[in-house]
Every structure is written in structure tokens, then in C-alpha cells.
Amino acid sequence: MEWSTDILGPDFQSCSIEAAGRDGTVRRATLVRHRPADTDPPASPPVDFPAGKERSRGSVLFLHGWSDYFFNVDLAKFWTARGYGFYALDMHNHGRSLTDGHPGGYVANLDDYDAEISCALEAMEVDRPAGAGTGTALMGHSTGGLVAALWTSRHPGRVKHLILNSPWLEMHGSSLVRRAAQAMVGPLARVRPEAVLRLPERGFYFRSISNTAEGEWPLDERYRPPLAFPVRAGWLSAVLAGHTQVARGLRLEIPVLVLTSSTSANGMVWQEAMRRSDAVLDVDVIALRAMALGHSVTLERIEGALHDVFLSAPDVRAEAYARLSRWIRGYMDAPTHGEKGTHDHNG
């Protein structure tokens, strides 16, 4: 592994990963890690350190959403302050992994990400400090949440915890909408998978988070374009197939946390409600689909949250971090069965 200083600053390093998928195609992804200096300012919001906190509890791998990349420094600081190694993967055709000649955001099958995720986890194991905990959590946002859930179902035992931030588990409305969309896009995806679909893209979510608009987050528009990447037939078909798998039930055996906003705000014109709502997904149908993920699912619906709950207004994201902390104490920090103490499942 050849780590170099990342675009996020000296406390972050990144390296390229090349992994061959089941189809034999080699794809390039980028792994980012957080290595905080002792002089770093504390995480914001402050972390409630658990008693007897160690600096080596385990590690977390974060997967971004579609047409996105990893940039949330505060999220990395949150995890490392709790004693977890933090890593993020810019998957192929996204962010730091964009390549000339390849369509941004495109994937023909969601399991095309499997090899690079597995490779990232192997690299994290090699990078693990001596004496550090071996437990790994997989965390995903939006489409990255869908990818994380499906990867976990295909690779049982590889990670111990799954954390999903507004995962895109279903289309707006119901499965009927998904089936109708599959019927329309399926034939085109088979013959012209990279054909661009002329769908409306309003950019309201970007407006709510970018500090060049009405948000507070500095975004690199090369990696997170205001109107997102073009929607292509093969990509949408792949996402719809993933939704179908979730609807059938993934039967995950590990603890799962799902965080969403309490409300959605959609429409063709900007609404002030979009400042404190999910302007991308139907959170009610996501909450319903979350229950199909596995046998131990915690759902947290957060009043006033945006599509990425950890990019919400300061008071709202403080609440999101507080709920995440509570779940971590109950499921990740607690001793496992067979160790001294009992496992607290009240998180």
C-alpha cells in the first residue's frame, strides 16, 4: 500500500486499489484513511467517550452515495475519537476514482463493487496497528447504503456491524413503481446500457448542503456535481435489481442501524422544507424496507434531518451523532458473548 496525502489535508491519506470483478474487469477505487495528529481539535459535536475507552476498538469502512465522494471530515473524527480506525472508499467511477473515458457514477451491476470492497477490507487489515481490535463495521449512505447491505448479504461473517445512513432501499411510493420502472428501462439496459435517460435533475439536495449555495459543506464539484452525473439505463437497472433483492429480504444476522430523516420533501420547485427534510428519498418506504434487512434492525428517524443525516443543521446532526453513539455503546463497544460482562442490547 502506497499512501499519500489526501485532498482533505495532512491527517488524511489515500491510496489506489485495483481489483478484478467476477467478469474479469479490473476496476480502480480509492481508499482513504484518517490518521489524526495529537494536536487535532476535538470532533464536532463532542464525542461522549465510553469508560475505559481504548484507541484500538476496531475499524469502520464508509461507502458514499451515487454521484458523490467522501468529504465529511467530522464523521472521520467522530469514529477515530471513539477509538475506531476510519476508512472510506471512493468506489470506481466516483470521486477520487474518476477516470477519463469512463462515465461518472456508472455501474452495470451492483456486485461489480464487491471486489473493491473486499480488497479495501483486506488493505485495512494489513494497515491495522498492532494490538488493535479486529471487528469491522460497514457504513453506507444512500446508494452506498444499498451497496453495503447487498455486499454484507453476499459475504456473511466479513463484517460485524452494518450502519446505513438514508439507504436507498426502494423507489418512491412502492414496489409497484419499481416494477413499472423495471419494465420500461430493462429492454434499453440490455441493448444500450450506457444510454442516458432524460430524467429531471433539480439539484435541490446539492443546494441544501453546498457552501456555494445554502449549505455549509465545501464540496469539490468535479467529484460531486451540482446536478449529479447523467442517469444511464444500465445503472438504473442495476439499482432496481438491488431494490428487488432487498424487498425479498436479506436475512442479515448482524446488528443493523438505519438512520433517516423523519420527513421527505419532493417537488419540481424549491421548498423551504427541503432545508430540514430528505429531498431525495421517500423516507416512509425506506423505513418499511429497512425491516426486511435482517433479524436485528434499529431504525432511527431524526426530525429535521437532510438526506445525509450527518450533513444536517448543527443541532440536527448533533442528535444524529448522539443516536449513533447510543447504538455503538449497545452493540459495538459492549463486550461480546463469552467475554467478561454482558452485552447491552438497549442501544
Side-chain angles (χ1 to χ4, degrees):
M1 304 296 295
E2 296 185 3
W3 298 94
S4 58
T5 301
D6 186 63
I7 58 175
L8 296 178
D11 290 344
F12 291 85
Q13 298 85 41
S14 58
C15 65
S16 293
I17 288 176
E18 291 190 345
R22 291 191 307 172
D23 59 359
T25 300
V26 176
R27 300 177 177 90
R28 185 177 71 86
T30 307
L31 185 63
V32 181
R33 71 180 183 185
H34 182 220
R35 286 288 189 271
D38 292 338
T39 56
D40 269 5
S44 176
V47 174
D48 56 332
F49 297 105
K53 184 183 76 66
E54 302 171 357
R55 298 293 298 178
S56 56
R57 291 182 173 275
S59 57
V60 177
L61 177 63
F62 173 81
L63 305 181
H64 57 79
W66 181 66
S67 194
D68 209 346
Y69 71 111
F70 173 70
F71 61 87
N72 192 338
V73 170
D74 284 352
L75 181 65
K77 289 183 177 181
F78 168 86
W79 282 107
T80 52
R82 290 199 70 100
Y84 289 87
F86 180 84
Y87 299 79
L89 186 67
D90 275 15
M91 295 178 284
H92 73 268
N93 292 342
H94 285 86
R96 299 164 179 82
S97 307
L98 287 169
T99 305
D100 290 343
H102 294 269
Y106 183 72
V107 69
N109 192 314
L110 295 185
D111 65 14
D112 285 350
Y113 293 125
D114 282 22
E116 60 208 69
I117 294 171
S118 296
C119 189
L121 291 171
E122 292 167 5
M124 289 163 57
E125 179 63 22
V126 171
D127 194 50
R128 179 170 61 90
T134 58
T136 302
L138 188 58
M139 183 177 191
H141 166 59
S142 195
T143 309
L146 174 63
V147 170
L150 294 172
W151 185 92
T152 303
S153 72
R154 289 192 291 267
H155 300 81
R158 292 291 302 276
V159 296
K160 294 185 176 180
H161 304 88
L162 181 64
I163 302 164
L164 306 179
N165 170 7
S166 300
W168 190 17
L169 303 179
E170 183 60 279
M171 296 292 287
H172 280 71
S174 70
S175 59
L176 295 176
V177 176
R178 167 169 42 86
R179 294 189 186 104
Q182 285 176 311
M184 289 187 291
V185 77
L188 180 60
R190 285 189 288 272
V191 296
R192 294 178 56 208
E194 294 188 18
V196 174
L197 304 178
R198 303 301 178 184
L199 301 176
E201 173 52 65
R202 303 177 298 277
F204 295 151
Y205 174 58
F206 181 91
R207 175 176 171 177
S208 71
I209 62 173
S210 173
N211 65 357
T212 62
E214 299 178 37
E216 61 178 286
W217 301 94
L219 304 178
D220 189 322
E221 295 186 9
R222 296 172 300 171
Y223 300 157
R224 207 307 172 191
L227 296 181
F229 295 124
V231 174
R232 299 177 186 274
W235 172 83
L236 182 56
S237 180
V239 169
L240 294 171
H243 291 167
T244 300
Q245 293 178 59
V246 172
R248 292 171 179 166
L250 298 187
R251 301 176 181 84
L252 301 179
E253 297 289 346
I254 62 174
V256 181
L257 172 64
V258 178
L259 304 111
T260 74
S261 180
S262 62
T263 56
S264 296
N266 292 291
M268 296 304 296
V269 296
W270 171 261
Q271 309 166 40
E272 286 301 303
M274 291 175 177
R275 296 179 188 274
R276 296 180 70 87
S277 304
D278 189 323
V280 178
L281 301 180
D282 182 336
V283 295
D284 289 334
V285 75
I286 299 305
L288 178 64
R289 280 288 175 261
M291 296 301 103
L293 293 174
H295 302 298
S296 180
V297 179
T298 302
L299 175 64
E300 295 283 1
R301 303 189 67 171
I302 301 167
E303 188 73 28
L306 296 176
H307 175 51
D308 185 332
V309 301
F310 298 111
L311 301 183
S312 305
D315 60 322
V316 178
R317 68 176 181 265
E319 175 67 16
Y321 278 115
R323 298 198 197 186
L324 174 56
S325 294
R326 182 174 63 187
W327 189 84
I328 293 170
R329 288 196 302 271
Y331 286 99
M332 295 178 66
D333 289 344
T336 59
H337 295 298
E339 295 179 342
K340 185 178 179 180
T342 58
H343 199 141
D344 175 9
H345 282 256
N346 295 322

